[in-house]
Amino acid sequence: ALEGHVSADIAIVGGGLDGLALALHLAESGRAPVLLEADTLCAGASSASAGIVAPQLVRNLPNQVARKLGQAPAERFLRMLADAGRYCFALISDRNGGCDAMANGFLAPSSGAAGRAQAAAAIEQWRPFRTDLALLDAEAVAALTGTRRYSSALLDPTGGALNPVAYGQFIAREAERLGAAIHTGSPVRTIERHNGRWRVTTTGGSIEARTVVLCANGGNRLLNRELRSTILPLEVCQVA
């Protein structure tokens, strides 16, 4: 846990996959941050994840993203997403991270002509950014899944699965090795401006930072009033 007062260029609030990944990228660029987590690493939504690596859009196609974000920002985002699966598994492999990683692809199955048309449209719109996506017919889907309930599927060969908690712990170790400071058991109480910088106060100490990045998921709304209307509660029930 954080004890006493420290100074940092960048403070990150939240020790899930988002906060840890940011800490790693900053540390790799020579801007090692200080990260605060109220509980243990990946104790929230990250530990509840199924661990599926799916470098695909949900309920959107690439052209829709371009209309929403604008062409240049959309292209940057789509190129990043297109490479996300390869990057993730290469990071684990190159640094012997383990994480129960299985780079065996991601399958998005569909039924009927509409579903096939949607998958075909997605593949076509992804072509400026990647050409490795495949549209499978019913026989190919059945061979991969063992079920004949689907008439087609989009196959992303760069997807797969991993243990999300192990992945978070791996990223944390790499970030710390490169200079990041990570404090668990350090719930943030207040974030206030102080002498032109931000003061982040925890139960046991405080940080003064030029920049504070909130990566606390639903907890962000408790730390910044302006974020209270941006959280959408989602309850998911799974039955096996």
Side-chain angles (χ1 to χ4, degrees):
L2 177 66
E3 295 182 358
H5 178 76
V6 299
S7 295
D9 183 39
I10 301 174
I12 300 170
V13 180
L17 292 178
D18 282 351
L20 292 169
L22 176 59
L24 175 59
H25 287 297
L26 287 170
E28 287 178 329
S29 68
R31 304 175 64 195
V34 176
L35 183 147
L36 301 172
E37 164 56 42
D39 203 324
T40 56
L41 296 179
C42 297
S46 295
S47 63
S49 165
I52 298 173
V53 179
Q56 288 294 314
L57 297 166
V58 178
R59 291 186 292 276
N60 281 283
L61 294 175
N63 288 356
Q64 293 172 300
V65 174
R67 287 195 293 270
K68 292 178 181 180
L69 301 182
Q71 195 64 36
E75 287 186 3
R76 290 196 299 270
F77 169 73
L78 292 169
R79 291 190 190 283
M80 179 185 70
L81 180 58
D83 194 50
R86 281 183 289 269
Y87 172 85
C88 174
F89 289 115
L91 178 67
I92 296 171
S93 176
D94 293 347
R95 307 189 193 190
N96 298 315
C99 306
D100 299 323
M102 296 182 292
N104 52 5
F106 171 73
L107 197 66
S110 55
S111 298
R116 182 181 179 87
Q118 179 84 352
I123 292 173
E124 184 61 31
Q125 292 180 29
W126 271 114
R127 289 195 189 282
F129 310 99
R130 59 187 306 186
T131 58
D132 57 345
L133 303 177
L135 182 62
L136 306 185
D137 60 17
E139 290 300 318
V141 175
L144 288 174
T145 65
T147 178
R148 295 186 175 276
R149 295 182 62 88
Y150 300 107
S151 58
S152 60
L154 183 153
L155 173 63
D156 185 336
T158 69
L162 49 71
N163 180 325
V165 176
Y167 185 53
Q169 293 169 342
F170 159 66
I171 294 175
R173 290 194 300 271
E174 288 297 299
E176 287 183 312
R177 182 178 64 83
L178 295 171
I182 297 176
H183 300 278
T184 57
S186 302
V188 172
R189 298 308 185 196
T190 60
I191 301 176
E192 302 171 318
R193 293 293 285 176
H194 180 74
N195 294 332
R197 290 167 64 85
W198 292 101
R199 173 170 287 179
V200 183
T201 304
T202 71
T203 52
S206 63
I207 300 174
E208 280 200 6
R210 181 180 60 84
T211 301
V212 177
V213 183
L214 300 182
C215 297
N217 201 0
N220 289 343
R221 63 186 177 87
L222 303 176
L223 300 172
N224 187 318
R225 291 177 179 272
E226 295 180 2
L227 297 177
R228 292 185 178 181
S229 62
T230 66
I231 304 300
L232 177 65
L234 177 65
E235 295 184 6
V236 178
C237 299
Q238 294 181 327
V239 179

